[in-house]
Amino acid sequence: SQQGEEDPQALSIQEGENATMNCSYKTSINNLQWYRQNSGRGLVHLILIRSNEREKHSGRLRVTLDTSKKSSSLLITASRAADTASYFCATSTGANSKLTFGKGITLSVRP
Amino acid sequence: DGGITQSPKYLFRKEGQNVTLSCEQNLNHDAMYWYRQDPGQGLRLIYYSQIVNDFQKGDIAEGYSVSREKKESFPLTVTSAQKNPTAFYLCASSLGGGALEQFFGPGTRLTVL
């Protein structure tokens, strides 16, 4: 079964609005990562948050992690049409473990 | 430019044929990975290698084989034993163990005719 599951499956917003995407997981993690994938392309790493961190920022991205609820959220502020993509969370359960990816969220930002 | 490349971008294969997908990186990363992505699905790990001349099966290794003779290269062979090989294949690398940030290639779309 998937370790990370994103919610919602699809999200459509207007340019300039904020987009919030959620990821839930089942077992304890070492870290959680978010990736972006443009249609037909490879994934691009966005941000990594460790299990002892609660929040990280990178430009317009803000990621939170709540280990008590086994969940994370990715917030994209002031969205742009170029943010249209699929977003995946991936979890790692140990320093040398594999990454397990969720099924992804399709974000559409309307100009 | 440092990066990870995959070739070809599109590949067509007849049923019963083996086919090899190329993956090369010049990032000096120790670890490399092969994933399979089906429409609307996440990534599933096929094989991974944490060091030259060593590799391990992932979650869906049946019908696939790999080699890691050089640090920069990790080719994937899709054999005729793979019952449903049509998919998008992604190669990735990371500096060390699997918990680190992974860098992805552009992918190879394999279609079985």
Side-chain angles (χ1 to χ4, degrees), chain A residues 9-64:
Chain A
Q9 289 188 329
L11 182 61
S12 181
I13 59 173
Q14 200 74 33
E15 203 166 27
E17 294 180 339
N18 295 342
T20 299
M21 291 168 271
N22 303 299
C23 172
S24 60
Y25 56 91
K26 296 184 174 67
T27 62
S28 296
I29 60 170
N30 171 267
N31 69 55
L32 185 145
Q33 303 178 33
W34 285 92
Y35 289 81
R36 184 187 74 226
Q37 183 181 34
N38 289 90
S39 181
R41 309 288 293 274
L43 277 70
V44 174
H45 182 265
L46 296 176
I47 202 161
L48 180 154
I49 187 164
R50 292 183 172 78
S51 59
N52 61 353
E53 298 175 311
R54 292 298 167 257
E55 186 171 314
K56 284 189 84 168
H57 296 255
S58 177
R60 293 184 296 114
L61 305 181
R62 172 178 169 253
V63 169
T64 61

Side-chain angles (χ1 to χ4, degrees), chain B residues 61-81:
Chain B
E62 186 175 350
Y64 300 97
S65 66
V66 293
S67 63
R68 186 85 187 278
E69 297 176 1
K70 297 186 295 182
K71 187 174 186 177
E72 59 270 23
S73 179
F74 191 39
L76 173 74
T77 297
V78 184
T79 75
S80 57

